[in-house]
Amino acid sequence: MSLETVVEDIREEAREEAAAIRDEGEARAEEIVSEAEADAERVHEEAERETERQIEREREQAVSSAKLEAKQERLEARRDALQQVREAAQERVASMEGERRTELTSALLANAAEEFDDADTVSVYCRADDEALVEELVDEFDEFDGVALAGEVDCLGGVVVESESSRVRVDNTFDSVIDDIWEDSSKDVSDRLFPDG
């Protein structure tokens, strides 16, 4: 064997070894690239799922918020409508005249009279527009013999009667009657105005 043959054999072995190393490196590189692509695909899919979950959460929050806002607006509209009904009733009572006003004021005065024993210490108050009516009615009640009007009170009508000796005060104004009726029946009024709940 000549030196040239030995050198050529060594070179050939080196080339084969280099080719084997290169093939192994390329195979490993392909394996690394394949693993990286699979990892990237998993990360991408998880990111998509998380994005979809986030979108769904935000959508649910937006829907929930919109429903709550709509409910609040409905409740506010109902409160406004109920307030308008109450104000209309108050206006109607305030503008009541004639025999009906006399009957109601008399009934309220009679009810108040039941609370007092000593007419000497009783004071009667009414709205300014009803002074003549209330003076006339007070004169008709034996329980209020000698009682004169003590002054005005800001109300829709009716009377406030109080006694210094017994420290009793009876608020029999139309306002207090409306308040009592409203407290007792506002739910029924609401149910009639808004039967759908």
Side-chain angles (χ1 to χ4, degrees):
M1 225 193 232
S2 71
L3 184 58
E4 230 174 77
T5 307
V6 171
V7 169
E8 192 54 41
D9 285 344
I10 292 173
R11 281 189 182 153
E12 186 58 33
E13 275 182 36
R15 277 194 282 271
E16 288 174 7
E17 199 173 308
I21 291 171
R22 190 175 44 253
D23 289 346
E24 187 180 312
E26 286 176 1
R28 179 70 184 129
E30 285 179 24
E31 186 180 311
I32 291 171
V33 167
S34 179
E35 287 175 5
E37 287 175 349
D39 285 347
E41 183 64 25
R42 278 194 302 276
V43 168
H44 178 73
E45 288 172 1
E46 180 56 35
E48 280 184 350
R49 283 192 298 272
E50 181 55 34
T51 300
E52 288 172 10
R53 285 192 294 266
Q54 181 66 27
I55 290 169
E56 183 60 22
R57 281 192 298 268
E58 289 177 8
R59 186 193 70 75
E60 287 174 3
Q61 288 174 347
V63 167
S64 177
S65 179
K67 284 180 180 179
L68 180 60
E69 187 176 330
K71 184 177 182 178
Q72 289 172 335
E73 287 176 7
R74 275 193 314 273
L75 288 174
E76 185 65 32
R78 285 182 178 191
R79 276 193 296 272
D80 289 347
L82 287 171
Q83 184 60 33
Q84 289 173 358
V85 168
R86 184 177 178 147
E87 288 170 3
Q90 288 171 324
E91 287 175 20
R92 191 168 175 192
V93 167
S95 65
M96 186 183 346
E97 294 178 352
E99 192 174 312
R100 184 70 178 141
R101 185 171 203 88
T102 301
E103 288 173 6
L104 291 176
T105 305
S106 179
L108 292 172
L109 192 58
N111 179 271
E114 296 173 6
E115 301 295 323
F116 301 97
D117 297 327
D118 185 6
D120 294 339
T121 63
V122 173
S123 301
V124 178
Y125 300 87
C126 67
R127 80 176 191 154
D129 291 350
D130 289 345
E131 283 182 6
L133 169 63
V134 173
E135 282 178 350
E136 183 182 313
L137 292 173
V138 165
D139 288 342
E140 293 177 10
F141 283 92
D142 293 336
E143 297 90 347
F144 292 138
D145 190 30
V147 173
L149 283 183
E152 297 175 9
V153 64
D154 184 23
C155 65
L156 301 172
V159 293
V160 173
V161 182
E162 57 187 23
S163 170
E164 290 176 24
S165 64
S166 63
R167 295 186 183 187
V168 173
R169 183 174 199 266
V170 178
D171 181 353
N172 273 1
T173 59
F174 293 169
D175 308 69
S176 67
V177 172
I178 288 173
D179 288 345
D180 290 344
I181 291 170
W182 193 257
E183 188 175 314
D184 292 341
S185 61
S186 62
K187 182 172 179 355
D188 293 336
V189 172
S190 179
D191 290 346
R192 286 181 127 185
L193 288 174
F194 310 105
D196 60 342

